Amino acid sequence: MFDKKRIIILVIIATVGIILGRLAVRAFMNMLLGGTLFGGNIL
């Protein structure tokens, strides 16, 4: 049914998705709080 290659690919995609999701949440919270993602003041 599932071969090893497909499982590895799914794990990689899931990991990348989780990381990008956490970064998106942090960026959204920073915009709400008026902060900046990378420190300092861009504006």
Side-chain angles (χ1 to χ4, degrees):
M1 210 161 45
F2 286 117
D3 52 1
K4 205 168 186 181
K5 192 174 170 186
R6 183 171 291 175
I7 292 173
I8 292 171
I9 291 171
L10 284 174
V11 168
I12 292 171
I13 291 172
T15 304
V16 171
I18 290 168
I19 292 170
L20 287 179
R22 287 175 59 95
L23 280 176
V25 169
R26 275 186 59 192
F28 183 67
M29 291 299 290
N30 272 323
M31 289 196 321
L32 281 181
L33 295 172
T36 58
L37 198 59
F38 304 107
N41 208 349
I42 294 174
L43 293 175

